[in-house]
Amino acid sequence: MEEQRKIKEQGGAIAVQNPVLKWLDNYWYHYKWHTIVVAFFIFVGIVCFAQCSSSVSGDLTLTFCGNYTLTQEERVRINDVFEAISPKKEDGKATTIMLNDYAVYTEEELRAIYTDEDGNLSVVAFNNAKAVNSDHLSTFGTFLMTGESAIWLVSEFVFEERNLSTLAVPLTELFETVPASAVNDYAIRLGDTELYQYYDALKVLPADTLLVMPAHFVWGESSNQEKYDEFRAMYNAIVNFKKPQ
C-alpha cells in the first residue's frame, strides 16, 4: 500500500499523491496550452457546423457565393423565381426554396470598390473588407461540407478557389447532351440560360455565375436519395427552362 501512494505532511496537512492525479498534473504542466488550443478549435468547429446546418430552412436549399451582395428583398424575389419553376412534390404541393448566400469578391474587385475617383485606396476599409471576404469564403466552404445544399451558384473565382470540380457531378452524367451554356465539364453559365434572360429578378446576380451540382455527400440533405433526386430535378428545371411563347 505504501508503494502505491506517498504520504507527506505539508503545514500539518496530509497530501495523498495518486498515480493518476500525478500523471494528469504532469500532463497539464507540459501540454496545457496545446490542450486549450485544440479544445478551442474543436468547439469552434462544432458551433460552426451546427450554425451552418440550422441557419437555413426550406424543401431545397440553393447556395449562391459570388461577387454580389444581395439585399433581403432581392433574396426573396430570387426565391420566388425558383419556387415558380420548381417541380411539384409527390403530394402536389409546391417546393419551397431557400437561397443561402455569401458575398465573396476577388482582391482586385475589392480594391476597385475601395478606390475613389482620384485613385486613392481606403486602406483600412479595404483590409477590413478582405478579412470579411476571407471569412465568407471559409464559411461557405464549411457549409458545403454539411451536404445541406446540392445546387451551387458560384463565381468563377470561387469555383477555382474552392476546387469545386472535385465535388461536382460531370455534366455528361446530368444531361444526354451537354447544354451549349456549359463553360467546362462541371458548370453551366447562368447568364446563358433562358431562365436568367426571362426573369429580371435573377439579373442582380452576375451573368457569369456558374451553376454547379455536387455529388452525393454521406450526410446532410444530399445524402438522402429522394431529396437528392429533387435537387437534380430542380437543377434540370433551371437549365432547361423555356420562355413562355
Side-chain angles (χ1 to χ4, degrees):
M1 187 68 176
E2 290 296 326
E3 295 179 356
Q4 295 179 356
R5 65 177 183 176
K6 296 179 181 179
I7 303 177
K8 60 181 179 178
E9 294 191 15
Q10 296 179 333
I14 298 178
V16 179
Q17 194 172 41
N18 185 287
V20 175
L21 295 179
K22 181 180 179 181
W23 179 87
L24 289 174
D25 182 65
N26 184 65
Y27 175 88
W28 186 251
Y29 178 82
H30 290 286
Y31 300 104
K32 175 174 64 177
W33 290 111
H34 300 74
T35 304
I36 291 173
V37 170
V38 171
F40 172 79
F41 280 107
I42 291 176
F43 174 78
V44 170
I46 292 173
V47 171
C48 287
F49 187 91
Q51 288 179 337
C52 288
S53 299
S54 62
S55 61
V56 293
S57 60
D59 292 323
L60 297 178
T61 298
L62 280 59
T63 302
F64 169 73
C65 185
N67 53 338
Y68 185 75
T69 302
L70 288 167
T71 66
Q72 179 61 26
E73 181 180 355
E74 290 169 339
R75 192 178 298 109
V76 170
R77 293 181 64 200
I78 291 173
N79 282 341
D80 289 343
V81 170
F82 286 135
E83 289 183 359
I85 65 144
S86 64
K88 298 293 183 182
K89 294 186 292 185
E90 290 185 359
D91 58 8
K93 295 181 180 179
T95 300
T96 58
I97 302 296
M98 175 63 69
L99 181 66
N100 194 27
D101 61 290
Y102 305 90
V104 172
Y105 301 83
T106 65
E107 184 168 332
E108 292 73 19
E109 289 168 340
L110 287 178
R111 189 174 295 275
I113 292 172
Y114 292 98
T115 299
D116 62 25
E117 296 179 353
D118 297 324
N120 300 312
L121 176 67
S122 177
V123 177
V124 174
F126 171 70
N127 287 333
N128 288 339
K130 280 182 62 177
V132 172
N133 200 66
S134 178
D135 180 64
H136 285 180
L137 185 60
S138 177
T139 304
F140 167 72
T142 301
F143 177 73
L144 294 191
M145 301 313 295
T146 66
E148 292 298 311
S149 175
I151 295 179
W152 305 337
L153 299 95
V154 300
S155 65
E156 184 176 351
F157 168 72
V158 171
F159 184 87
E160 297 295 339
E161 189 72 11
R162 301 302 308 188
N163 199 19
L164 296 186
S165 61
T166 62
L167 301 174
V169 178
L171 295 176
T172 53
E173 295 183 16
L174 297 173
F175 305 98
E176 291 185 7
T177 301
V178 175
S181 52
V183 297
N184 57 41
D185 293 338
Y186 304 94
I188 287 173
R189 187 176 184 272
L190 180 64
D192 291 337
T193 65
E194 291 193 37
L195 181 71
Y196 183 90
Q197 296 162 13
Y198 183 74
Y199 285 102
D200 290 338
L202 294 182
K203 293 178 182 176
V204 296
L205 301 177
D208 57 359
T209 296
L210 304 181
L211 189 64
V212 180
M213 184 166 186
H216 274 290
F217 278 79
V218 297
W219 48 71
E221 289 285 82
S222 62
S223 67
N224 179 284
Q225 185 61 53
E226 182 178 347
K227 182 64 68 172
Y228 189 79
D229 289 342
E230 291 181 23
F231 275 114
R232 180 164 180 168
M234 184 67 202
Y235 187 90
N236 287 334
I238 295 172
V239 175
N240 296 325
F241 174 83
K242 298 299 180 184
K243 301 176 185 177
Q245 299 298 322

